Amino acid sequence: MKTFVNAKVIAMSGKIVATRGMRDFLPTEKTWRERVLSVLRETYTSLGFMEIETPALEPIERLQSGQGGENEKMIFQVMRRGMDPQAGVLPAEAVDLGLRYDLTLPLTRYFASHQAELPNVFRAFQTGPVWRAERPQKGRFRQFNQVDIDILGEASFSAEVEIIVTMWNAIGKLGLDKDSTILLNDRRFLRELMKAAGVAEEKHDSAFITLDKLEKIGEEGVIKELVGQEIASDSQAKSLVEAVGSIAELELGSDVETVNVPALGAELPLFELGAIASQVREIAPDIKISFTPTLVRGMGYYTGPIFEVSHTASGSSICGGGRYDGVVGRWLGRDVPAVGFSFGFERIVDLVSLPQEGQQLKVALAYQKPREALAALHLREGLLAAGASNAGLLKAPRKMSAGFFEQAASLGYNRVLLPSRYLEAAEQDAPDFAALLQQARVLEN
């Protein structure tokens, strides 16, 4: 799917709405989203991850470098500036930039650009919108936010352990830990599994994508797709499905380095998965970890351990990540090990349970006339110093009614200060701001 961004304005009749697949957020919604994000930001930065920011646009050849999996087919592409609108040109020649489809690819470019200014092992935290030209549906948007942490430059599995326990810390702060489970697998194990099943190496990635659908389409559906797309023979497909089913209950531990797969007549290596699970449990004893041999992760850049977090109230994973050692090397010309983890912010924001904030005074200074607005501006700082957490101006209708106070409450205010209460105080040299707060009208939530 090729989607081009241009400045053409389309006149629409009827209701005026946001672009399909994108959303507006009302002030109360935005406040909640920022509160959830602040928990993640405070957690990550307190544990040594440093916040960075990267541009929304990247060169199209970088976004289409073959590492983004299916997402490379959903890039919002930006046309070159200065082109003759009447000139005949192929779509590929008309494009030079694209909107980022995730935060990982821009991060790897960022590290390559600034390596001399960064520590050898860099712990990054990044959040921001990403864009994918998907078919909009429930839970899927064309613009959505991601919240990522990554460790670049650390080759040992201590990086996976650090990423997972840091993420689990954040999940606990968000109140999601009781119903969450970490799913673990390894891309290298998956390749060994495919080899043992007799699947040709050039078809491994296609087989991964089909195997990842096991929970959605069932065993028969996976076998049918593997055979129908000529990825595997009927016997190979059946053996593969039987194999992953037979090892799904494996308990990972420090002494578990291989797994016997009778359906394939093979003993397959688990690489560092047992050690990772063991170390994570030592640091976070309450964590729930499940070896999941069908876990694939869609991005083509993963090279080692991969992980997701499932939540009982979500129809899909709420976050995920893994090791991607080959990406930075594409820009630098030398390998740089890397591990990352990303929260699907839209998937967690409605699941989060945070303790109720203490009662804060959020005061709207109502005004109708310019002189009232100016008087209110003179009082804002004093009201904040007297204990209000917010003090903002809110224009009232000529005839003040219950609807105005309902609107103030919907905007997050819990007090309204009327001009009849504050005009006189604004003319005083030393207004009694505490008394003004006491005179504000209390709103019902």
Side-chain angles (χ1 to χ4, degrees):
M1 178 189 297
K2 292 187 184 291
T3 306
F4 295 91
V5 177
N6 60 39
K8 186 177 180 182
V9 178
I10 301 174
M12 298 178 62
S13 60
K15 188 177 180 182
I16 300 172
V17 297
T19 302
R20 189 164 176 256
M22 301 183 184
R23 296 164 298 162
D24 297 321
F25 296 103
L26 293 172
T28 50
E29 295 173 312
K30 179 63 175 173
T31 298
W32 174 248
R33 290 170 66 86
E34 287 300 317
R35 188 181 171 202
V36 174
L37 180 58
S38 71
V39 172
L40 293 172
R41 176 176 281 112
E42 288 166 12
T43 301
Y44 291 151
T45 55
S46 71
L47 295 172
F49 289 81
M50 300 185 180
E51 188 164 6
I52 66 165
E53 184 174 330
T54 57
L57 292 168
E58 290 284 347
I60 194 67
E61 63 271 13
R62 190 173 293 148
L63 293 171
Q64 293 179 331
S65 59
Q67 301 173 96
E70 292 295 305
N71 294 323
E72 294 194 6
K73 300 176 183 177
M74 296 185 285
I75 298 171
F76 280 98
Q77 301 183 7
V78 182
M79 296 180 69
R80 297 177 188 273
R81 292 188 61 189
M83 289 184 59
D84 181 355
Q86 305 302 320
V89 63
L90 293 172
E93 296 172 353
V95 171
D96 63 346
L97 299 171
L99 287 169
R100 64 190 181 194
Y101 51 74
D102 74 357
L103 297 178
T104 303
L105 205 69
L107 168 68
T108 60
R109 193 274 311 152
Y110 173 96
F111 186 79
S113 299
H114 301 283
Q115 58 171 323
E117 306 153 73
L118 299 171
N120 291 335
V121 176
F122 181 53
R123 290 164 173 81
F125 157 55
Q126 185 177 191
T127 183
V130 299
W131 295 265
R132 295 177 190 172
E134 299 199 64
R135 187 184 302 278
Q137 54 185 292
K138 185 178 180 181
R140 286 192 176 273
F141 306 100
R142 288 177 168 175
Q143 177 179 318
F144 53 96
N145 275 31
Q146 289 187 337
V147 185
D148 288 16
I149 53 171
D150 296 80
I151 300 175
L152 295 94
E154 179 54 68
S156 79
F157 72 82
S158 68
E160 277 88 349
V161 174
E162 182 176 353
I163 284 281
I164 291 172
V165 297
T166 301
M167 168 275 302
W168 191 254
N169 190 307
I171 283 178
K173 295 281 180 64
L174 295 173
L176 299 175
D177 51 324
K178 288 187 175 65
D179 298 311
S180 294
T181 301
I182 294 179
L183 314 180
L184 278 183
N185 200 6
D186 194 301
R187 274 294 184 98
R188 294 167 298 178
F189 167 76
L190 282 169
R191 294 199 182 280
E192 293 295 328
L193 187 72
M194 295 300 163
K195 286 181 191 174
V199 177
E201 187 171 350
E202 66 271 14
K203 295 181 179 179
H204 283 186
D205 289 340
S206 299
F208 293 164
I209 293 169
T210 300
L211 189 63
D212 196 35
K213 301 176 184 176
L214 184 61
E215 193 172 322
K216 292 182 180 178
I217 64 178
E219 293 183 357
E220 290 303 317
V222 168
I223 292 170
K224 184 177 179 180
E225 187 168 310
L226 287 170
V227 175
Q229 295 186 7
E230 299 183 346
I231 297 169
S233 68
D234 185 69
S235 62
Q236 288 172 337
K238 287 178 178 176
S239 296
L240 187 58
V241 168
E242 182 185 346
V244 295
S246 69
I247 59 177
E249 301 300 319
L250 177 70
E251 184 73 21
L252 292 173
S254 58
D255 58 340
V256 181
E257 297 179 353
T258 62
V259 59
N260 183 37
V261 189
L264 302 177
E267 184 90 10
L268 301 181
L270 290 169
F271 302 93
E272 297 90 10
L273 287 181
I276 291 169
S278 175
Q279 289 296 320
V280 167
R281 288 194 187 102
E282 283 190 24
I283 298 168
D286 61 333
I287 206 164
K288 297 182 284 291
I289 297 177
S290 172
F291 172 58
T292 308
T294 57
L295 177 64
V296 171
R297 299 290 297 158
M299 296 300 191
Y301 49 60
Y302 289 118
T303 58
I306 50 178
F307 26 84
E308 285 186 354
V309 175
S310 66
H311 188 278
T312 54
S314 175
S316 57
S317 67
I318 60 173
C319 45
R323 180 168 284 277
Y324 54 97
D325 285 349
V327 184
V328 183
R330 291 214 174 187
W331 324 131
L332 277 181
R334 61 178 176 82
D335 285 343
V336 175
V339 180
F341 197 93
S342 177
F343 265 106
F345 191 73
E346 316 307 329
R347 294 180 180 179
I348 66 165
V349 70
D350 294 327
L351 296 175
V352 168
S353 174
L354 295 177
Q356 188 170 356
E357 290 183 307
Q359 181 64 42
Q360 294 179 310
L361 295 178
K362 300 181 179 181
V363 184
L365 292 113
Y367 73 96
Q368 294 170 324
K369 302 173 183 177
R371 73 182 185 91
E372 294 170 350
L374 292 172
L377 287 173
H378 281 281
L379 298 172
R380 287 189 309 175
E381 296 294 332
L383 291 170
L384 293 174
S389 62
N390 299 70
L393 275 65
L394 188 63
K395 186 156 189 176
R398 183 175 299 175
K399 189 171 183 180
M400 210 171 294
S401 64
F404 169 71
F405 296 103
E406 290 171 3
Q407 181 192 55
S410 75
L411 294 172
Y413 293 109
N414 54 29
R415 300 286 191 279
V416 170
L417 197 54
L418 300 174
S420 59
R421 299 289 187 184
Y422 67 72
L423 277 175
E424 185 179 341
E427 296 176 359
Q428 297 172 359
D429 291 334
D432 187 342
F433 291 106
L436 274 178
L437 289 175
Q438 292 296 321
Q439 294 172 41
R441 176 167 173 166
V442 179
L443 303 180
E444 297 293 331
N445 289 329

